[in-house]
């Protein structure tokens, strides 16, 4: 069997339709392997209508939900190429993107990773959401107040520009680099902040990820919050934010976050009649979520919503908890 040149790894959870669409459009080119980690067992039935899959497309079924980090690590272990491309189920590489990634690794041997250009299915650029600097401790503390001061510049950088914290929705890495830092940290489950943590560890080693706008992917963005639910999302997001603060900035910062998060959640609860958080499906769901934040801030999220205590959906890059 021919060894592929690039392995794309997709972690699927409640995303059978997205994955089926991706598989149907995948190029039948043995140089470009697709490894799908089926976290909830829905894919075989959904893919049956597509007929026999080519050898370049493989589906792994771990039998349980490993979360984005665990699923990505499993996919990387099973992948056969030296270059690993982590891709969300709701992202679609445009024609020529896989080839562009493969060639760019040769063109930029100093690059630990490559960052494709993400746009919406409507053509809108996602640079401000996708391409960010690593967050400071103060910027993360602001999230306790439901404020995100850390969005990136909406202007797209030039090709080859270093990107400190790219979205994990579409991110290519050399296998040697990924393995040298032990992959994604699986303690960041169910999702969120494992991508920030990986970017921080790469930066600490002096590794650089470079922007490659000729590699273009269309991306729906934000599907995992709806699948998980707003309360579980907030619990997972805040818990993992504190874990990141502990690891990279010190325990005092995570304690400060918890001290702010509870009162801020209760204040926002009082304002619910005036404004419902956009990510919540209803005011009732928002109220449950905010109460969970207040409770979780006291316990360190040990009593967080049960749905958030299980490995869950592939993440979008870390966003404001609002």
């Amino acid at each position: 069997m021919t060894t592929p040149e690039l392995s794309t790894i997709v972690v699927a959870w409640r995303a059978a339709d997205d994955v089926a669409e991706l598989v149907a459009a995948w190029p039948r080119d043995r140089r470009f392997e697709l490894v799908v980690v089926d976290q909830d067992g829905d894919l075989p039935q959904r893919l049956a209508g597509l007929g026999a899959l080519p050898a370049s497309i493989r589906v792994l079924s771990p039998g349980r939900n490993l979360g984005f980090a665990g699923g990505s690590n499993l996919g990387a272990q099973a992948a056969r190429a030296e270059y690993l491309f982590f891709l969300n189920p709701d992202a679609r590489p445009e024609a020529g993107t896989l080839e562009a990634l493969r060639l760019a690794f040769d063109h930029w041997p100093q690059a630990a990773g490559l960052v494709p250009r993400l746009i919406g299915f409507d053509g809108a650029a996602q640079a401000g959401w996708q391409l960010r600097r690593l967050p400071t401790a103060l910027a993360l503390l602001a999230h306790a107040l439901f404020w995100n001061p850390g969005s990136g510049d909406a202007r797209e950088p030039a090709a080859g520009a270093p990107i400190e914290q790219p979205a994990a929705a579409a991110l290519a890495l050399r296998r040697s680099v990924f393995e040298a830092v032990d992959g994604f940290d699986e303690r960041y489950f169910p999702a969120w902040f494992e991508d920030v943590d990986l970017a921080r560890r790469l930066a600490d080693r002096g590794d650089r990820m470079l922007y490659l706008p000729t590699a273009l992917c269309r991306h729906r963005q934000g599907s995992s919050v709806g699948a998980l639910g707003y309360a579980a999302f907030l619990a997972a997001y805040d818990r993992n934010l504190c874990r990141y603060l502990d690891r990279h900035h010190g325990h005092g910062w995570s304690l400060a976050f918890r001290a702010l998060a509870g009162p801020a959640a209760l204040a926002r609860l009082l304002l619910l009649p005036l404004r419902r958080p956009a990510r919540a499906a209803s005011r009732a769901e928002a109220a449950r979520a905010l109460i969970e934040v207040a409770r979780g801030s006291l316990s360190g999220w040990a009593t967080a919503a049960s749905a958030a205590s299980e490995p869950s959906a592939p993440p979008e890059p870390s966003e404001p908890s609002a």
Side-chain angles (χ1 to χ4, degrees):
M1 182 181 293
T2 303
T3 301
E5 299 177 6
L6 179 79
S7 292
T8 298
I9 297 156
V10 173
V11 178
W13 182 80
R14 297 184 184 177
D17 288 343
D18 273 334
V19 173
E21 180 184 307
L22 178 65
V23 168
W26 196 256
R28 270 41 179 177
D29 187 330
R30 289 180 295 178
R31 296 176 301 160
F32 304 124
E33 177 182 49
L34 175 62
V35 178
V36 180
V37 182
D38 178 16
Q39 305 249 61
D40 51 8
D42 289 348
L43 283 180
Q45 182 177 2
R46 185 64 181 82
L47 297 179
L50 300 179
L53 298 180
S56 59
I57 299 178
R58 292 186 291 148
V59 177
L60 307 179
S61 298
R64 62 190 180 93
N65 199 334
L66 304 175
F68 177 80
S72 294
N73 289 344
L74 178 65
Q77 291 167 10
R80 294 181 292 127
E82 164 57 22
Y83 305 118
L84 306 174
F85 182 32
F86 298 96
L87 187 72
N88 269 15
D90 61 353
R92 301 287 176 271
E94 293 282 281
T97 288
L98 303 177
E99 178 78 15
L101 288 169
R102 172 64 188 88
L103 294 175
F105 273 117
D106 288 341
H107 181 70
W108 289 323
Q110 78 279 17
L114 298 170
V115 183
R117 181 176 184 243
L118 285 183
I119 63 173
F121 278 75
D122 60 357
Q126 296 182 357
W129 172 88
Q130 177 199 11
L131 312 175
R132 303 182 181 188
R133 298 185 64 85
L134 283 163
T136 65
L138 281 174
L140 292 174
L141 200 61
H143 286 235
L145 306 175
F146 300 91
W147 174 44
N148 176 21
S151 296
D153 193 332
R155 295 173 300 177
E156 294 186 37
I163 306 297
E164 287 189 4
Q165 188 219 308
L171 176 63
L173 294 168
R174 295 182 190 272
R175 176 187 293 277
S176 57
V177 171
F178 186 72
E179 291 179 348
V181 295
D182 297 322
F184 288 104
D185 187 337
E186 298 179 16
R187 291 174 295 179
Y188 289 93
F189 64 85
W192 295 283
F193 279 94
E194 67 290 283
D195 57 335
V196 190
D197 172 77
L198 179 69
R200 171 67 67 180
R201 288 184 284 127
L202 291 174
D204 289 346
R205 281 169 36 102
D207 291 324
R208 295 199 306 165
M209 294 176 283
L210 306 182
Y211 188 49
L212 184 66
T214 55
L216 177 65
C217 296
R218 295 186 182 272
H219 178 226
R220 288 198 178 95
Q221 188 177 351
S223 60
S224 48
V225 175
L228 186 60
Y230 187 62
F233 159 67
L234 279 188
Y237 188 95
D238 288 351
R239 182 180 63 237
N240 288 345
L241 187 155
C242 283
R243 179 175 285 114
Y244 179 88
L245 281 172
D246 262 341
R247 179 172 188 176
H248 296 289
H249 295 285
H251 189 55
W253 284 102
S254 65
L255 290 177
F257 181 92
R258 288 170 55 185
L260 288 173
L266 294 176
R268 189 153 191 180
L269 183 64
L270 295 175
L271 294 175
L272 270 183
L274 301 177
R275 182 176 182 272
R276 172 176 60 85
R279 291 180 176 275
S282 66
R283 283 184 169 81
E285 183 188 40
R288 290 192 297 271
L290 293 168
I291 291 170
E292 285 289 347
V293 170
R295 292 175 60 216
S297 67
L298 296 175
S299 65
W301 284 273
T303 59
S306 60
S309 301
E310 302 171 358
S312 187
E316 307 295 349
S318 300
E319 301 171 352
S321 49

